[in-house]
Amino acid sequence: LVSPLLLESAQHQMAQRILVIDASVETQVTRTVSRDDSTEDGVKAIIKVQMDRESRLEKADDIIANNKGLDELHIAVDALHNTYLALASSQ
């Protein structure tokens, strides 16, 4: 289940584990502005109305930091994927 509003809605009740891919607000703004045709103020306004970062991280069972490059992200995702496969096979 992939949902940007998972924690803001009742959808989180359908999940056994919650993974948050986290990046600093500064990183989120920089990446969004460069990827989309958005302004810095527009991106910050969107972030402001979302669940705050600390609350999101508190609700996570697993967190992957996404403040580096894609290679590091892929390594972290692969490692956690293997953990999830092990958890699934033990149930």
Side-chain angles (χ1 to χ4, degrees):
L1 177 62
V2 176
S3 173
L5 298 176
L6 180 76
L7 298 173
E8 288 92 343
S9 67
Q11 293 176 342
H12 68 277
Q13 296 172 357
M14 297 187 302
Q16 292 178 343
R17 295 188 70 82
I18 296 172
L19 165 63
V20 171
I21 308 289
D22 182 55
S24 68
V25 171
E26 296 80 16
T27 299
Q28 292 176 51
V29 171
T30 300
R31 288 178 178 170
T32 305
V33 167
S34 68
R35 181 191 65 221
D36 301 342
D37 191 25
S38 303
T39 65
E40 186 174 321
D41 288 340
V43 175
K44 287 180 179 178
I46 291 168
I47 290 171
K48 188 175 180 178
V49 298
Q50 294 175 343
M51 176 182 284
D52 66 271
R53 183 178 180 203
E54 292 76 23
S55 297
R56 192 168 47 251
L57 294 175
E58 280 179 13
K59 293 178 184 270
D61 296 298
D62 303 292
I63 301 167
I64 293 179
N66 186 14
N67 288 318
K68 297 181 181 177
L70 280 176
D71 289 341
E72 291 84 359
L73 179 62
H74 288 158
I75 291 167
V77 169
D78 287 344
L80 191 55
H81 177 70
N82 289 328
T83 299
Y84 287 165
L85 288 175
L87 287 170
S89 69
S90 69
Q91 293 184 8

